């Protein structure tokens, strides 16, 4: 933290103390001496503050935009030191939380209310994990972060947005400028049309609960082993379910509406192939993206497929004798092609057929918005496992899903596997 900022905060504290002391009608000798001491410190700090600004002026010019995001960097450093095991011990034995973990929890409590102890989403990411090949078109924005680096939603270009509280919406342009030539020397150009937008809103209406039990033996192993075990367990459980609802959420029973299940509701194009799957079906869909100005080429289109479709395409030779399969042609031309048995429905019908989702990021706008509200609220159940000395925890996470521009997504159905 900059020295000038520290001095400003101290000056604010001194003013508060002087205000409370000066309000007393008959201060005693100790209070009078304290007022003199605070007054002297305040005057000295004014000189120190001016000197700090002069000293930091050169640093500000050299740092440039770095100082504008200093608060985000400080928050990241705090979260890096967050220990989930301290939360578990505090809920079980009343352990006093300290260090960076205490600072993070205090900051989260200032932003919103929680029944238990709040845990930042970033703390659930797997540490020391490097994700390669993950598209991240808008990671530079400070309000955006990836929920889990290896999640299918992230690989399909979904934008994870942190929301403190309340509803949030994005106005998306649906109609705007018109283009037309002047037919004759005295005629008018094309008539203007009103600039129109539609709102894509998200609301904190969907809460996911993750429950876990930590035995007394595990609690006594209060080192890094418990820290990593709890993190991995919660990361896996929440990541799998969130990946599922982003695409297959029913919109009922508390679930958000997934983009595949709710394709018709979102206005996403659904194309029935109803033929054996091949690269030609995907190529035609990519061509539709390009003609809608949603993609600049096949390399900017991501495709979500099931493992069964990969197996079929990798075994189908596009040119007998060449050794090149339909899968080879797709990989050589398209962008990211994540496989998931969780984000798409299992094969059905006769012959068996599956669906696939194609997405692209156009003009810096992600195809899918995933909003995560506040932090993960961890609540303790002290009664259920009291007899065995265990600890039962419930983690509550609120999220929502929406689509900005339906033209950036397309669902292919009836991709037959025979």
């Amino acid at each position: 933290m900059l020295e000038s900022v520290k001095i400003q905060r101290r000056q604010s504290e001194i003013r508060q103390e002087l205000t409370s002391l000066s309000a007393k009608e008959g201060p005693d000798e100790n209070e009078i001496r304290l007022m003199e001491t605070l007054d002297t410190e305040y005057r000295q700090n004014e000189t120190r503050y001016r000197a700090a600004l002069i000293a930091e002026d050169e640093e500000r010019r050299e740092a440039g935009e770095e100082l504008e995001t200093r608060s985000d960097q400080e928050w990241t450093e705090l979260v890096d030191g967050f220990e989930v095991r301290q939360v578990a011990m505090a809920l079980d034995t009343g352990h006093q939380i300290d260090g960076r973990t205490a600072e993070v929890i205090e900051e989260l409590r200032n932003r919103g209310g929680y029944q238990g102890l709040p845990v930042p989403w970033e703390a659930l990411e797997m540490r020391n994990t490097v994700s390669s090949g993950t598209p991240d078109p808008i990671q530079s924005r400070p309000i955006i972060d990836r929920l889990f680096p290896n999640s299918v939603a992230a690989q399909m270009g979904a934008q994870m947005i942190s929301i403190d509280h309340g509803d949030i919406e994005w106005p998306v342009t649906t109609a705007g400028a018109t283009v037309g030539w002047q037919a004759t020397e005295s005629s008018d150009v094309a008539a203007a049309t009103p600039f129109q937008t539609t709102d894509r809103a998200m609301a904190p209406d969907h809460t996911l609960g993750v429950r876990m039990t930590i035995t007394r033996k595990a609690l006594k192993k209060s080192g890094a082993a418990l820290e990593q075990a709890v993190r991995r367990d919660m990361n896996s459980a929440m990541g799998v379910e969130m990946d599922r609802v982003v695409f297959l959420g029913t919109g009922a029973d508390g679930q958000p509406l997934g983009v595949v299940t709710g394709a018709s509701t979102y206005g996403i194009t659904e194309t029935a192939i109803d033929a054996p799957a091949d690269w030609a079906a995907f190529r035609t869909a990519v061509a539709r993206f390009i003609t809608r100005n949603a993609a600049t080429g096949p390399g900017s289109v991501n495709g979500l497929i099931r493992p069964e479709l990969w197996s079929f395409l990798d075994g189908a030779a596009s040119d007998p004798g060449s050794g090149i399969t339909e899968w080879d042609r797709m990989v050589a031309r398209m962008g990211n092609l994540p496989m998931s048995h969780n984000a798409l429905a299992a094969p059905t019908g006769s012959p068996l057929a599956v669906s696939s989702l194609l997405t692209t990021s156009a003009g810096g706008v992600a195809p899918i918005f995933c909003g995560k509200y506040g932090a993960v609220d961890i609540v303790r159940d002290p009664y259920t496992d009291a007899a065995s000395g265990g600890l039962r925890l419930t983690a509550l996470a609120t999220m929502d899903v929406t689509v900005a521009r339906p033209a950036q997504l397309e669902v292919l159905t009836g991709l037959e596997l025979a």
Side-chain angles (χ1 to χ4, degrees), residues 267-416:
I268 299 171
T269 300
E270 294 181 273
T271 303
I273 304 301
D274 296 333
D278 58 8
W279 158 239
F282 287 85
R283 181 181 59 206
T284 305
V286 171
R288 285 193 291 269
F289 272 119
I290 298 174
T291 55
R292 293 197 298 257
N293 292 324
T296 56
S300 61
V301 179
N302 304 316
L304 175 61
I305 65 173
R306 280 193 63 93
E308 296 89 347
L309 180 58
W310 162 78
S311 178
F312 177 74
L313 293 173
D314 197 44
S318 60
D319 183 13
S322 67
I324 299 176
T325 65
E326 294 291 329
W327 175 251
D328 294 331
R329 298 175 69 184
M330 284 183 60
V331 172
R333 291 166 175 81
M334 289 185 64
N336 213 20
L337 290 167
M339 284 181 276
S340 174
H341 69 284
N342 181 51
L344 291 173
T348 58
S350 180
L352 290 175
V354 295
S355 297
S356 179
L357 175 67
L358 303 182
T359 67
T360 184
S361 296
V365 178
I368 306 168
F369 288 153
C370 301
K372 50 190 181 68
Y373 288 80
V376 180
D377 194 0
I378 297 186
V379 184
R380 176 196 180 193
D381 176 3
Y383 305 109
T384 304
D385 295 326
S388 64
L391 173 63
R392 184 162 297 195
L393 303 177
T394 298
L396 302 175
T398 301
M399 67 170 294
D400 199 7
V401 178
T402 192
V403 170
R405 286 195 289 241
Q408 294 177 229
L409 301 94
E410 182 167 345
V411 178
L412 303 182
T413 63
L415 293 165
E416 298 177 358

Side-chain angles (χ1 to χ4, degrees), residues 13 47 106 119 126 141 220 251 271 289 302 413 417:
E13 294 172 358
T47 304
E106 183 64 26
V119 174
M126 301 300 291
R141 292 178 58 184
K220 297 308 177 183
T271 303
F289 272 119
N302 304 316
T413 63
L417 305 179

Side-chain angles (χ1 to χ4, degrees), residues 222-291:
S222 57
L226 177 62
E227 167 79 13
Q228 295 301 326
V230 172
R231 192 190 311 262
R232 283 194 302 268
D233 197 25
M234 294 186 66
N235 174 286
S236 176
M238 297 181 73
V240 169
E241 180 59 17
M242 286 184 172
D243 261 348
R244 188 191 68 81
V245 299
V246 167
F247 302 102
L248 296 180
T250 62
D253 301 323
Q255 300 181 23
L257 183 61
V259 297
V260 176
T261 308
S264 58
T265 302
Y266 289 120
I268 299 171
T269 300
E270 294 181 273
T271 303
I273 304 301
D274 296 333
D278 58 8
W279 158 239
F282 287 85
R283 181 181 59 206
T284 305
V286 171
R288 285 193 291 269
F289 272 119
I290 298 174
T291 55

